[in-house]
Amino acid sequence: MASADPFDSALDLLRRLNPKDTSRNVSLLCQIAPSLTEDLLESVDVPLSVKRCSKTGRDFLCCDYNRDGDSWRSPWSNEFEPALEDGEAVMSSERVRKMEVKANDAFDVYRELYFEGGISSVYLWDVDDGFAGCVLLKKSVSPGGKGKAASWDSIHVFEALDRARTAHYKLTSTVILNLGTEAEALGSMDLSGNMVRQIEQDMPVEDDGSHVANIGRMVEDMEYKMRNLLQEVYFGKARDIVGDLRSIPSIKETEKDKATHREMISKMAR
Amino acid sequence: MPSNSEALASFVESAPPGELSNVTNAIKTIAGDSSLQSLGPALERYNEEQFTTVTLPGSSQPVVVSSYNSLGDGRYFDVESQSSFAFDHNTQKASAVQSYALESKNADLIKSILKSLSTHSNEHYPSSSLGVYPIENDGAIAILLVANKYSPNNFWNGRWRSQYTFSSGQLTGSIHVDVHYYEDGNVRLLTDKPVSASLSSSASASEIVRQIASIERKYQEDLNKAFGSLSEGAFKGLRRQLPITRQKIEWEKISGYRLGQDIGGGRAR
């Protein structure tokens, strides 16, 4: 076997181990192989943590893109929580911060329309030939009486490269969906995981407002597709695999029925 | 923080059905070949808890490895084939097969349960392995069933495990289902269902197996219902398929939405 790359192996491992433990497993991997720390924190998506913006009182979401050391930047105030001790952080340009404010307002509406609750945060930063950013959405439902907590985390990371009158967008989206239920008759059932999708697209741009609308449309379409995909995998595929392991009807009866059916069809075809 | 070897052991414990060698290979690349030496106990625990199956040399029927049929020193026995064997927890291979005569006052019942259970499992499991063993100084009988289906080309693997103990008329145990789907993602179904039923202490093999059959059927039906209620309940409650207007957002007019539709200020959780 060719010697594999430790980073690729770490990603492969995280793709196999229980997705519910991804946060914990990432920290364990960083402990075992400290040289992988930076790459792992940058490329592995984990459920988003929540902080409160002390200036506006509003909650915001934290990820590697709004982090500086142990502080996270609030999209509502543009200030770090807790405040940075050692001087100023690298802040985005005025143009990009303006778009960021607009995008946060727009995705706040999106969040309310689709999630009817939850938290959203958008972070943008400058790159050569354009800008990049991430759109974060999170909704958690606490267990009431019976059942387990459920949560949805979307992490959309994109790059927008300026061309003449258009922009080239590259979007990578991860949805982390954790579900579970517990009941006397059922025992406990945990259905958790994440799915990733990518898309690239060129769209017309008139002004910076077009960027917000274009990103909005891309994220909306992507989440629509991913929600359907998650529905299919979590409730269709997983259930079918259980059915492949064990059949409720007798296998012999099912085989007999199939044989009879085949016979009928072949007689009709004659 | 746990030690490195504890961390690696927790990775082994969480390995999906049929993917143990992928997990140990990744561990080797990340932590070095020497790391595997510390994994011995974790691999043994994994194989025994997951009812790992192994085909004995010169046989075609896979047999089960578990704590219930352990003879110590890495050897296990199988009732059906009347043999004992050495099992390598690292390579999952069996060797040094010897004949093994079951000595138990319940030997007849054990063999009858195996026979009835085999008829039942052929009816409902496309592929399964069974084990019935005397345990607790011959005071009880352990009944195991494991059904695996691996489809790595389609990025999924699954395992159904049932374990029961029959002792003075009481049947207790648990069913675990473990499904891994990993095409462009990582999705895992893990279930744990404790079960118990009362029979007469002189229950026959077919009565015991009939009870097991009914428990497992009921469980699968409940599990199927739970998929439906999670989809209709928790999943829908997290994110709508479309806004209440049933239309996608008009992003050019997004700033007008707030006024027009009286949307909350985003403070609400």
Side-chain angles (χ1 to χ4, degrees):
Chain A
M1 209 179 77
S3 65
D5 174 58
F7 178 61
D8 290 342
S9 294
L11 293 182
D12 183 64
L13 193 60
L14 292 168
R15 191 173 67 126
R16 296 183 189 278
L17 302 183
N18 190 350
K20 247 196 147 172
D21 301 331
T22 299
S23 295
R24 188 186 66 112
N25 290 339
V26 167
S27 10
L28 292 178
L29 283 169
C30 294
Q31 173 192 320
I32 294 162
S35 63
L36 301 177
T37 304
E38 204 176 314
D39 286 342
L40 283 176
L41 293 183
E42 209 169 90
S43 45
V44 179
D45 291 316
V46 296
L48 300 159
S49 57
V50 180
K51 271 203 170 310
R52 171 125 335 149
C53 172
S54 53
K55 203 162 183 188
T56 63
R58 292 180 71 174
D59 288 338
F60 66 95
L61 297 170
C62 305
C63 69
D64 211 40
Y65 297 108
N66 65 325
R67 183 175 72 91
D68 190 326
D70 294 323
S71 295
W72 281 267
R73 184 169 63 90
S74 160
W76 315 121
S77 66
N78 203 25
E79 285 175 16
F80 279 86
E81 301 282 345
L84 290 174
E85 280 174 14
D86 47 354
E88 290 290 297
V90 182
M91 301 302 263
S92 45
S93 66
E94 202 181 319
R95 173 203 164 210
V96 162
R97 171 60 189 162
K98 254 187 197 159
M99 270 197 287
E100 188 181 81
V101 170
K102 270 192 189 151
N104 272 291
D105 286 344
F107 275 100
D108 197 28
V109 175
Y110 174 89
R111 175 199 55 71
E112 190 56 38
L113 289 173
Y114 279 100
F115 292 86
E116 298 175 329
I119 305 168
S120 63
S121 295
V122 182
Y123 302 102
L124 304 184
W125 58 92
D126 296 87
V127 297
D128 292 343
D129 305 324
F131 67 100
C134 64
V135 176
L136 311 175
L137 292 144
K138 183 185 186 79
K139 183 168 175 190
S140 308
V141 179
S142 314
K146 62 169 193 168
K148 286 185 180 172
S151 61
W152 172 300
D153 291 76
S154 322
I155 300 154
H156 303 276
V157 181
F158 63 87
E159 205 176 51
L161 301 178
D162 291 322
R163 308 247 164 102
R165 282 189 290 281
T166 65
H168 181 72
Y169 299 90
K170 198 173 156 184
L171 173 70
T172 302
S173 300
T174 303
V175 176
I176 303 169
L177 174 64
N178 291 340
L179 297 168
T181 180
E182 198 151 14
E184 180 72 33
L186 180 71
S188 82
M189 170 184 185
D190 197 272
L191 191 51
S192 297
N194 55 71
M195 302 210 74
V196 185
R197 282 287 181 279
Q198 284 186 327
I199 191 178
E200 289 189 44
Q201 217 173 323
D202 287 303
M203 282 185 278
V205 174
E206 278 174 31
D207 53 29
D208 284 348
S210 317
H211 278 305
V212 175
N214 287 344
I215 292 156
R217 258 188 296 274
M218 273 184 92
V219 166
E220 184 178 28
D221 287 347
M222 182 63 112
E223 283 206 344
Y224 183 84
K225 278 186 206 138
M226 289 186 84
R227 188 185 183 280
N228 287 343
L229 177 72
L230 289 163
Q231 173 131 29
E232 197 185 304
V233 169
Y234 276 59
F235 311 113
K237 194 73 201 169
R239 188 191 139 130
D240 289 349
I241 295 171
V242 178
D244 280 341
L245 294 170
R246 186 185 189 283
S247 161
I248 292 181
S250 150
I251 293 169
K252 270 187 212 140
E253 293 299 319
T254 317
E255 293 291 314
K256 224 187 279 169
D257 288 350
K258 274 190 200 153
T260 316
H261 188 70
R262 270 197 300 272
E263 206 176 314
M264 270 171 61
I265 288 177
S266 71
K267 272 182 189 162
M268 277 156 61
R270 254 177 239 160
Chain B
M1 285 296 266
S3 71
N4 283 4
S5 60
E6 283 168 341
L8 296 177
S10 79
F11 295 163
V12 167
E13 193 188 345
S14 165
E19 298 174 46
L20 183 65
S21 63
N22 304 93
V23 167
T24 51
N25 282 337
I27 289 175
K28 253 192 281 182
T29 312
I30 298 160
D33 287 348
S34 60
S35 62
L36 280 197
Q37 282 157 10
S38 73
L39 288 182
L43 290 168
E44 178 176 338
R45 204 159 51 234
Y46 177 91
N47 287 320
E48 290 192 347
E49 279 176 8
Q50 296 294 324
F51 306 158
T52 294
T53 56
V54 60
T55 307
L56 302 183
S59 164
S60 59
Q61 194 86 353
V63 301
V64 173
V65 168
S66 77
S67 60
Y68 304 100
N69 60 326
S70 167
L71 295 168
D73 290 332
R75 289 191 70 85
Y76 299 83
F77 70 92
D78 178 59
V79 174
E80 176 83 48
S81 63
Q82 299 183 46
S83 38
S84 74
F85 55 94
F87 183 74
D88 184 325
H89 287 283
N90 191 10
T91 60
Q92 296 193 324
K93 292 223 159 57
S95 62
V97 180
Q98 292 172 4
S99 73
Y100 180 87
L102 178 67
E103 275 175 40
S104 162
K105 64 179 196 287
N106 296 319
D108 288 343
L109 181 59
I110 287 172
K111 283 172 188 165
S112 310
I113 294 173
L114 256 179
K115 211 169 158 212
S116 297
L117 192 63
S118 159
T119 311
H120 159 69
S121 66
N122 287 336
E123 284 275 292
H124 293 282
Y125 296 86
S127 158
S128 63
S129 302
L130 313 172
V132 184
Y133 318 105
I135 53 166
E136 295 167 16
N137 295 319
D138 216 11
I141 297 172
I143 305 168
L144 315 184
L145 180 155
V146 59
N148 295 312
K149 187 151 188 201
Y150 305 149
S151 191
N153 291 336
N154 298 306
F155 301 100
W156 64 260
N157 295 303
R159 174 172 299 152
W160 174 299
R161 267 183 302 152
S162 319
Q163 174 271 318
Y164 307 92
T165 301
F166 182 70
S167 171
S168 8
Q170 285 297 315
L171 188 70
T172 54
S174 59
I175 305 173
H176 294 275
V177 178
D178 187 343
V179 168
H180 186 216
Y181 179 89
Y182 51 110
E183 185 168 23
D184 295 323
N186 177 4
V187 177
R188 189 87 172 258
L189 166 73
L190 284 166
T191 78
D192 176 6
K193 161 72 178 160
V195 295
S196 67
S198 294
L199 291 97
S200 105
S201 56
S202 59
S204 69
S206 60
E207 281 168 329
I208 295 169
V209 171
R210 209 178 305 135
Q211 186 63 250
I212 289 175
S214 122
I215 288 171
E216 295 186 349
R217 180 194 183 94
K218 169 82 168 48
Y219 178 58
Q220 194 177 0
E221 286 169 351
D222 285 339
L223 199 55
N224 281 346
K225 273 185 227 153
F227 277 114
S229 60
L230 276 179
S231 169
E232 289 305 306
F235 183 60
K236 275 195 173 166
L238 285 173
R239 188 189 184 280
R240 303 179 63 95
Q241 192 175 23
L242 281 171
I244 209 156
T245 56
R246 290 170 181 251
Q247 281 167 5
K248 286 199 177 173
I249 291 172
E250 291 186 65
W251 286 90
E252 269 75 21
K253 300 180 187 162
I254 190 92
S255 56
Y257 271 66
R258 193 173 292 269
L259 300 168
Q261 304 194 5
D262 190 30
I263 286 159
R267 263 161 229 242
R269 297 280 294 270

